[in-house]
Amino acid sequence: MATSSADDATLEAFGVDLDITVAGAFFAGAANTAALILGLWLLKKGVRRGYRRRREVQELRHQADATPTPAAEPAGRDIPADDPVSDQADAPPDPATQRPANP
């Protein structure tokens, strides 16, 4: 409970003077305390969430490591290795055989 007081106080910070009542200083301090408590609570919640998320990712990685994976099959067409067309498909185009763009 705040008692009424007509006394003014002067707050001075960073070269700025601020005239404020004693009750105003009290309520400003109470608001700052509430903001500090709220900030600490949010920080606590964030740390707990991060810990749970890291633990879940670690468990999922362990599960993925324990799960056997099927043998990887090559993607693409089944082309024999000695096929001359398949060798040309991967080679860059020969500029001597291409037509010029502007005749």
Side-chain angles (χ1 to χ4, degrees):
M1 179 166 112
T3 59
S4 70
S5 174
D7 295 337
D8 285 343
T10 302
L11 298 177
E12 186 177 332
F14 304 111
V16 176
D17 293 338
L18 181 66
D19 291 329
I20 189 169
T21 64
V22 174
F26 171 78
F27 288 118
N32 281 329
T33 303
L36 176 69
I37 291 172
L38 178 65
L40 291 174
W41 180 75
L42 288 172
L43 182 66
K44 178 182 168 185
K45 289 296 212 180
V47 168
R48 281 188 178 176
R49 180 176 182 229
Y51 175 73
R52 280 194 315 260
R53 176 175 249 155
R54 281 190 302 275
R55 190 175 57 198
E56 180 183 359
V57 167
Q58 186 178 21
E59 288 175 6
L60 290 173
R61 285 184 181 155
H62 287 302
Q63 288 177 4
D65 290 341
T67 304
T69 57
E73 299 200 14
R77 302 173 290 164
D78 293 330
I79 300 174
D82 59 346
D83 187 10
V85 176
S86 67
D87 293 338
Q88 293 175 1
D90 295 333
D94 186 14
T97 60
Q98 292 182 346
R99 293 188 302 166
N102 293 326

